[in-house]
Amino acid sequence: MICVSACLAGEKCRYDGRSRRIGRIADLVKEGNAVAVCPEREGGLSIPRAPSEQKDGRVINKEGKDVTEAFEKGASVCLDRALAAGCKTAILKENSPSCGVHAVYDGTFSGKSIPGEGIFTRKCREAGIICRSESEEIEDERSL
Ligand code: SF4
């Protein structure tokens, strides 16, 4: 079983109320081979919501509110769900403050990303789940 970011599976759970659907990832869920989770939604944040970015070890939304607690809570709920489903790997949305695998936005809301990992990704890795980004997944698909 694979854990995937729900927005990649087609769920409209992003801050802007949209998805980032990737057909192959949506198919994994449809076929019962993946479980889709959205840590920000599970943390009680609304859809749509103000975008958030990591800054100095916290998560701050564009209105200046510290939303770290909601991010941590949602990530824990999603990790429990992934572990209960037996997930050993995850495909997560790069650059997200929750789901980023190799990079996150830099906290300036300017679209610039820096090396880092999302709150959920960190928890997954600490639990032994191997995390890959959607772009790595697409690259592998292309090279087959
Ligand atoms: Fe997608 Fe993760 Fe953001 Fe939810 S928290 S919208 S799953 S990137």
Side-chain angles (χ1 to χ4, degrees):
M1 189 64 82
I2 304 169
C3 175
V4 300
S5 293
C7 58
L8 297 177
E11 293 187 39
K12 295 180 176 174
C13 51
R14 275 166 46 100
Y15 75 90
D16 57 4
R18 302 176 72 172
S19 80
R20 279 296 181 94
R21 186 179 185 281
I22 293 175
R24 191 180 119 65
I25 295 176
D27 287 348
L28 285 172
V29 176
K30 205 160 50 179
E31 291 156 5
N33 294 317
V35 56
V37 299
C38 176
E40 293 175 30
R41 182 176 61 195
E42 293 303 329
L45 298 170
S46 62
I47 304 169
R49 56 187 171 277
S52 301
E53 297 192 359
Q54 293 186 22
K55 183 77 176 169
D56 299 328
R58 308 294 296 174
V59 186
I60 310 294
N61 75 13
K62 204 172 180 181
E63 295 161 352
K65 186 175 172 206
D66 188 324
V67 288
T68 310
E69 207 175 304
F71 272 64
E72 291 281 351
K73 179 182 159 226
S76 295
V77 170
C78 291
L79 176 61
D80 287 349
R81 195 169 296 164
L83 292 175
C87 297
K88 300 274 189 282
T89 60
I91 305 169
L92 303 175
K93 177 76 189 71
E94 196 65 283
N95 292 316
S96 155
S98 290
C99 297
V101 174
H102 305 293
V104 292
Y105 288 120
D106 71 352
T108 62
F109 295 96
S110 59
K112 187 170 169 255
S113 58
I114 54 174
E117 64 184 358
I119 306 282
F120 177 55
T121 308
R122 170 175 49 80
K123 286 187 192 290
C124 284
R125 283 178 168 146
E126 286 170 356
I129 295 174
I130 296 164
C131 300
R132 291 161 51 82
S133 70
E134 81 282 16
S135 48
E136 289 174 298
E137 195 62 21
I138 291 166
E139 272 311 309
D140 278 6
E141 184 90 341
R142 284 198 188 115
S143 62
L144 285 177

